[in-house]
Structure formats: C-alpha cells, structure tokens
Amino acid sequence: MIKVKRLSDKIDYNIPYKVCIDGRVVMELANGEMRDYETPEGEHTIKIESDDFVSEELKFTNYEGQIIEFECKPEHSESNFSKVARKFLLGKLGISLVKKNDFYL
C-alpha cells in the first residue's frame, strides 16, 4: 500500500494534483489531503501531475505488508511570472515528490 500526502500550501491550493501509478491516474489530491492506494506487490512508478506541472517519475518496489509514504508539493513561487519562467526554463517540472517512509505491518 502507498500513502500520498500533498503538503498544504497557498500555491496552487485550488488545483487538484493527479496521482499516476504505472502511467494511470488513480486518484486526485486536494491541498493538504492524504490518501491511500493499494498497489500489488512488485515494481511500480509514481508521478504527480497538475494542469501546468509534473513531478519526476519515481520507481518503487512494494512488498507484502509494506506501507510506503510519499509527499508532494509545488516547487514554484506564487507569481504567474515565476510559473511562466520556470516552465520556460525547466519544462513542466514543478512539483516535488519524495519518498518519506516505508515500514511493514
């Protein structure tokens, strides 16, 4: 199982983040929301998308009884100029996604 938490932030607070597992959108996260998703055992990828930005795709392996926690948040500042400049310089990357913990029950 994975847990994905979107850290509360005033940036993009009204734009849902889509959680993509193995290339499929499996859920959306509102600002400050945390949700669980059952993944089968094995290797997977996770990526976060919004209307304007995406995170890097991370690979993870899920084992029976394991819970993996991820956190995501915007990496850009609040101004529209900053969003445009970031998009121009770095492409669509603009969401931070990190693996925080993994533990077994």
Side-chain angles (χ1 to χ4, degrees):
M1 173 194 303
I2 64 167
K3 292 180 175 284
V4 185
K5 181 177 184 178
R6 179 178 172 184
L7 298 178
S8 185
D9 201 309
K10 63 183 176 182
I11 301 168
D12 291 343
Y13 67 91
N14 59 342
I15 298 171
Y17 279 12
K18 297 174 189 83
V19 179
C20 301
I21 305 290
D22 300 329
R24 275 185 324 118
V25 175
V26 297
M27 66 177 133
E28 289 189 351
L29 292 173
N31 194 29
E33 186 175 22
M34 180 179 194
R35 295 188 61 191
D36 299 344
Y37 182 75
E38 280 293 331
T39 53
E41 279 189 68
E43 293 185 9
H44 301 281
T45 60
I46 183 171
K47 179 172 69 171
I48 309 296
E49 300 177 348
S50 73
D51 291 342
D52 295 320
F53 295 103
V54 298
S55 71
E56 290 190 35
E57 187 173 76
L58 300 181
K59 292 181 181 182
F60 68 95
T61 302
N62 191 38
Y63 300 100
E64 184 176 342
Q66 182 183 29
I67 298 174
I68 304 171
E69 295 180 343
F70 294 94
E71 285 183 353
C72 62
K73 66 177 183 167
E75 287 186 328
H76 53 279
S77 74
E78 197 169 5
S79 74
N80 285 334
F81 175 77
S82 172
K83 279 183 168 182
V84 170
R86 181 172 190 78
K87 203 169 186 179
F88 178 73
L89 295 172
L90 299 174
K92 286 190 64 108
L93 286 178
I95 298 175
S96 168
L97 174 64
V98 295
K99 181 179 170 186
K100 295 303 284 183
N101 296 305
D102 61 356
F103 52 90
Y104 295 88
L105 294 178

